[in-house]
Amino acid sequence: ILILKFLGIKSYGIFSFFWLTILFINSTQLSFLIYPMMTNSSKQKIGELDLFYGSIFIHQVAFTIVVLFLVFLALNCIQIILGELTIKIFYLPFICSIFFTQIYQFFRRLLLNKKNFLWAICSDFTVFSSLIVAIIYLNYLEKLNLENIIWTFAFSFSLGLIICSPIIINFKT
């Protein structure tokens, strides 16, 4: 609602397209990687659990690379079709947002799977509070535009990723 109020309907429509794309990718990630990880981790031996999580993380990285490539191709096709609507300025922030949301969502679910609920809650609080504060601050500075909002999403999820990243120390590949 803040984004709609601060940007207007046209920019919000473009933002909605980007956001729906991220939600679709996150749903695909849940179906292909996260739910199988959460289901099959209970079947693993305690000694092999870190190896299991490490292999799932390798799958996550491969999935993210494929998704980023496909999104880049899709953005180029959209740019060709809608020549008058320039979206090239959103390529890098959108790709970064997808990357950080994908890896953050993986680590967050891994924390929940390992029953580190407080750590997951702290990372969620950091992500979403920094996102809201940054949007309000950019609006205060009158520098709020669609590109900055997409960069804000990338920045906020990267903060969450930094908070969650110490869990990678236990991975074995």
Side-chain angles (χ1 to χ4, degrees):
I1 295 174
L2 288 175
I3 296 170
L4 176 60
K5 180 181 178 191
F6 295 149
L7 283 184
I9 290 178
K10 182 179 178 185
S11 293
Y12 183 74
I14 298 170
F15 170 78
S16 295
F17 168 75
F18 287 132
W19 186 243
L20 287 173
T21 304
I22 288 177
L23 290 178
F24 175 75
I25 292 167
N26 285 346
S27 296
T28 306
Q29 174 197 29
L30 283 171
S31 297
F32 290 147
L33 294 165
I34 303 298
Y35 290 149
M37 174 187 72
M38 295 176 91
T39 302
N40 294 327
S41 65
S42 62
K43 299 174 186 174
Q44 303 299 316
K45 296 177 185 173
I46 298 296
E48 296 176 358
L49 200 54
D50 288 333
L51 183 62
F52 172 74
Y53 288 138
S55 67
I56 296 293
F57 181 67
I58 289 171
H59 286 95
Q60 173 63 56
V61 170
F63 176 79
T64 302
I65 290 170
V66 168
V67 164
L68 293 177
F69 178 73
L70 291 174
V71 165
F72 182 75
L73 288 178
L75 288 174
N76 279 322
C77 289
I78 291 169
Q79 180 63 44
I80 291 169
I81 293 168
L82 304 172
E84 74 279 351
L85 181 65
T86 284
I87 59 170
K88 284 187 177 187
I89 60 170
F90 304 121
Y91 281 21
L92 184 60
F94 188 55
I95 296 288
C96 289
S97 293
I98 291 172
F99 173 79
F100 288 124
T101 56
Q102 286 290 288
I103 303 299
Y104 170 74
Q105 290 295 333
F106 175 81
F107 283 141
R108 183 177 165 272
R109 302 301 171 123
L110 183 59
L111 286 171
L112 294 173
N113 204 38
K114 288 187 163 197
K115 299 190 181 3
N116 292 326
F117 302 114
L118 186 59
W119 199 353
I121 290 170
C122 288
S123 67
D124 281 346
F125 179 77
T126 302
V127 167
F128 296 111
S129 62
S130 67
L131 185 62
I132 291 169
V133 167
I135 288 172
I136 292 171
Y137 184 67
L138 285 170
N139 185 54
Y140 174 76
L141 294 177
E142 297 180 359
K143 295 190 184 253
L144 188 66
N145 58 35
L146 189 54
E147 182 181 10
N148 287 342
I149 286 178
I150 297 172
W151 275 118
T152 301
F153 272 85
F155 173 74
S156 296
F157 281 100
S158 69
L159 284 178
L161 180 60
I162 290 168
I163 290 172
C164 293
S165 62
I167 201 165
I168 201 170
I169 293 169
N170 296 330
F171 286 167
K172 294 177 184 170
T173 55

